Amino acid sequence: MTKVIGLTGGIASGKSTVARLLRTRGAVVVDADQLAREVLAPGTAGLAEVLETFGPEVLGPDGRLDRARLGRMVFGDSEARRRLEAITHPRIAARFWEETDKARVALAPLVVYEAALLVESGARSFVEELVVVQASPDVQRARARERDGLTETEIQARIDAQAKASERLAAADHVIHNDGSLEELEAQVRALWDKLTGGGQRP
Ligand code: ADP
C-alpha cells in the first residue's frame, strides 16, 4: 500500500531537507513548485489560458511566462489571483494524481507532496496525513539568509505571505522540530518513516 502524505513548513524550515531524507529511504517526492512550473511551460494549454486571461505582456521575450510580472499582477488582487488559480490548480492536481498513480504501480511505500503553501492552497485534501516541519523564526531567518542571501525585508515578505505557524500546526498530523542539528533531524525522519510505513520497507 502506498501512503500519500503532504510535507510543508515555513520558509527555510527544512522541508527540502526532510524530503531528501525521505527520498533516500524510498519515498517518491512530488514537488509542488515543479508541477506549478510544468503546467505553465511553453506550449501548454495552461500557458495559453494565462495569456488569454492576463494578456500577452506576461510572456517574456524568451517565450516563457514572466512569473515576476504575473506575480505583481495578482499580488494583492484576490480576484486576479482566483482567476490564475482556477487555471493552475486543477492542472497541478491532475499532474499530482498522475505521479501518485505511477508511484502506486511501482509499489513505492510513500508519496510525499512537498509544498510551501499546502495548507493555504487547499491541497490538504490530496493527502492522507500532513507532516509539518517547524523551526523557530530566528532559525528560519538565519537559514534563509545563509541559503538565499535574502534581506530581512525579503524574508519577512515571504513569511507574511505564508500561513501562520499556528495554522500549519493546527492542520498537522506529525510535527518535525528542526531547530537542532542535522543528526537530530535525521533521527526524527527515521522515526517518522517507521511510523508511516510500519518500518518494514526500509531499503
Ligand atoms: P525549506 O525547503 O523549508 O525552504 P531547506 O530544507 O532548504 O528549507 O533548509 C533551509 C537551509 O537550512 C538549507 O540550506 C539547509 O541545508 C539548512 N538546514 C536545514 N535543516 C538544518 C539543520 N537541522 N541544521 C543545519 N542546517 C539545516
Side-chain angles (χ1 to χ4, degrees):
M1 259 299 272
T2 303
K3 183 168 255 182
V4 181
I5 65 156
L7 176 64
T8 192
I11 178 174
S13 56
K15 291 177 298 297
S16 311
T17 308
V18 170
R20 181 171 54 73
L21 293 169
L22 290 169
R23 191 186 284 123
T24 63
R25 292 189 165 263
V28 170
V29 177
V30 181
D31 177 0
D33 279 348
Q34 192 185 323
L35 297 190
R37 282 191 299 271
E38 275 180 27
V39 301
L40 299 181
T44 58
L47 179 59
E49 218 177 296
V50 164
L51 294 178
E52 211 171 285
T53 307
F54 294 93
E57 63 270 26
V58 296
L59 200 62
D62 57 356
R64 293 180 169 274
L65 183 65
D66 184 342
R67 288 182 172 274
R69 182 156 193 163
L70 182 61
R72 284 194 298 274
M73 285 170 85
V74 302
F75 186 79
D77 180 344
S78 56
E79 176 52 28
R81 178 171 295 275
R82 201 197 51 72
R83 285 204 309 270
L84 176 60
E85 289 175 350
I87 299 169
T88 56
H89 282 182
R91 292 184 162 88
I92 291 172
R95 285 285 299 114
F96 175 72
W97 292 120
E98 232 173 79
E99 293 302 311
T100 305
D101 285 346
K102 268 195 263 177
R104 282 191 213 281
V105 170
L107 301 178
L110 191 68
V111 172
V112 178
Y113 187 50
E114 179 192 351
L117 304 179
L118 206 154
V119 173
E120 300 83 327
S121 69
R124 173 67 184 83
S125 61
F126 290 7
V127 299
E128 295 165 47
E129 295 180 43
L130 182 65
V131 175
V132 169
V133 187
Q134 191 67 18
S136 62
D138 286 348
V139 171
Q140 279 181 274
R141 280 171 210 282
R143 288 185 184 146
R145 236 188 342 258
E146 197 165 311
R147 183 191 57 184
D148 305 326
L150 296 177
T151 65
E152 280 302 323
T153 319
E154 288 166 334
I155 294 171
Q156 193 58 46
R158 283 164 176 73
I159 290 176
D160 290 344
Q162 297 177 340
K164 300 274 167 294
S166 57
E167 292 165 24
R168 268 194 300 267
L169 288 173
D173 298 295
H174 309 274
V175 179
I176 291 192
H177 297 280
N178 189 25
D179 281 342
S181 66
L182 273 179
E183 289 70 31
E184 288 170 275
L185 183 64
E186 277 164 16
Q188 292 179 73
V189 171
R190 210 161 36 238
L192 177 70
W193 174 269
D194 288 349
K195 220 188 302 182
L196 292 173
T197 65
Q201 303 183 59
R202 194 182 302 165

